[in-house]
């Protein structure tokens, strides 16, 4: 199997059909919030190894790091990942990606669906570095609510969290416009969502080319 073998430390539910895998950090693995890894595994019934990309959802990679996995009951990899037990192993490659938060400034982290993983990792990293954070999250079945509540309630830095439904594009656009000048913009989600974010930034007088937007395809 290609890649680096890592041990699963824990698997926990973090939302509807969503789990977080905590994985041991390999030697020389140095990733920043916003980057992603390639997970490679061979479920029992698979003829060949299956590979998928997952963005980090932890604010650091000291000792362990986390990825968040949306579980498709009919999927060929995610149900297997969700059923892993501590001590089992998978293989990873990376980290990859040009979007990376280094803890130097306030942030506006915008998430669509599975984009909440990298968005919350960036917001937490900003908070831990003493910077303010805004999280704007569009999802009918949000994940990581406990972590979002903890961020907003901590009080040591100014953190604002707004969660809207999947069909609330206008509400999301209003929230983006309201918070656009409060930090560097990071956005993660599928193509339609990424386009909405970019168009909203431009319509509000900003420059979408200066935002860090990750299109999941």
């Amino acid at each position: 199997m290609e890649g680096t073998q890592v041990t699963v430390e824990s698997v926990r539910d973090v939302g509807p059909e969503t789990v977080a895998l905590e994985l041991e950090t390999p030697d020389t693995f140095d990733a920043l919030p916003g980057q992603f890894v390639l997970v490679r595994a061979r479920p029992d019934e698979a003829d060949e190894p299956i590979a998928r990309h997952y963005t980090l959802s932890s604010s650091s990679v000291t000792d362990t790091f986390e990825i968040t996995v949306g579980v498709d009951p009919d999927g060929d990899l995610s149900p297997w990942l969700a059923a892993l037990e501590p001590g089992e192993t998978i293989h990873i490659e990376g980290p990859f990606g040009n979007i990376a938060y280094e803890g130097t400034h306030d942030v506006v982290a915008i998430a669509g669906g599975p984009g909440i993983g990298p968005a919350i990792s960036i917001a937490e990293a900003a908070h831990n570095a003493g910077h303010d954070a805004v999280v704007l999250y569009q999802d009918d079945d949000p994940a990581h609510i406990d972590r979002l509540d903890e961020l907003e309630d901590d009080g040591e830095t100014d953190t604002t969290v707004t969660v809207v439904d999947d069909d609330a594009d206008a509400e999301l656009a209003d929230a983006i416009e309201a918070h656009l000048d409060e930090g560097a913009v990071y956005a993660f989600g599928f193509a339609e969502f990424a386009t909405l974010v970019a168009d909203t930034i431009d319509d509000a007088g900003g420059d979408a080319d200066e935002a860090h937007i990750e299109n999941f395809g």
Side-chain angles (χ1 to χ4, degrees):
M1 186 91 65
E2 296 181 27
T4 301
Q5 181 174 286
V6 297
T7 300
V8 176
E9 299 290 334
S10 68
V11 179
R12 69 185 193 282
D13 293 330
V14 294
E17 301 293 343
T18 308
V19 298
L21 275 69
E22 184 180 2
L23 306 169
E24 69 167 350
T25 300
D27 294 339
T28 73
F29 181 81
D30 187 15
L32 291 169
Q35 294 188 297
F36 60 91
V37 295
L38 178 71
V39 171
R40 196 183 300 275
R42 187 171 184 172
D44 297 337
E45 298 179 0
D47 294 331
E48 300 290 339
I50 300 170
R52 295 287 185 274
H53 291 105
Y54 293 101
T55 310
L56 272 65
S57 53
S58 55
S59 58
S60 73
V61 298
T62 303
D63 298 327
T64 64
F65 70 98
E66 180 189 274
I67 58 173
T68 298
V69 177
V71 182
D72 177 359
D74 298 321
D76 51 10
L77 182 60
S78 60
W80 183 85
L81 291 173
L84 288 171
E85 297 287 343
E88 295 188 271
T89 61
I90 59 176
H91 287 72
I92 66 163
E93 297 177 27
F96 305 107
N98 295 322
I99 295 179
Y101 176 67
E102 297 184 359
T104 58
H105 47 263
D106 298 343
V107 300
V108 179
I110 311 172
I116 189 55
I120 196 169
S121 74
I122 288 172
E124 287 181 342
H127 169 82
N128 293 338
H131 298 289
D132 296 338
V134 173
V135 180
L136 309 177
Y137 180 19
Q138 185 176 36
D139 199 323
D140 283 342
D141 297 307
H144 289 301
I145 289 298
D146 289 347
R147 287 169 68 183
L148 291 171
D149 288 344
E150 289 176 7
L151 269 176
E152 195 167 31
D153 294 342
D154 183 270
E156 291 187 10
T157 61
D158 186 6
T159 302
T160 301
V161 176
T162 300
V163 181
V164 303
D165 293 338
D166 281 342
D167 59 358
D169 287 355
E171 187 177 351
L172 177 64
D174 288 344
I176 294 171
E177 183 173 355
H179 295 285
L180 187 58
D181 296 329
E182 296 181 22
V185 174
Y186 295 81
F188 303 86
F190 290 113
E192 185 175 349
F193 174 85
T195 299
L196 171 64
V197 171
D199 289 347
T200 300
I201 291 171
D202 288 336
D203 291 345
D207 186 352
D209 290 337
E210 295 183 357
H212 309 281
I213 301 176
E214 183 77 33
N215 182 344
F216 290 167

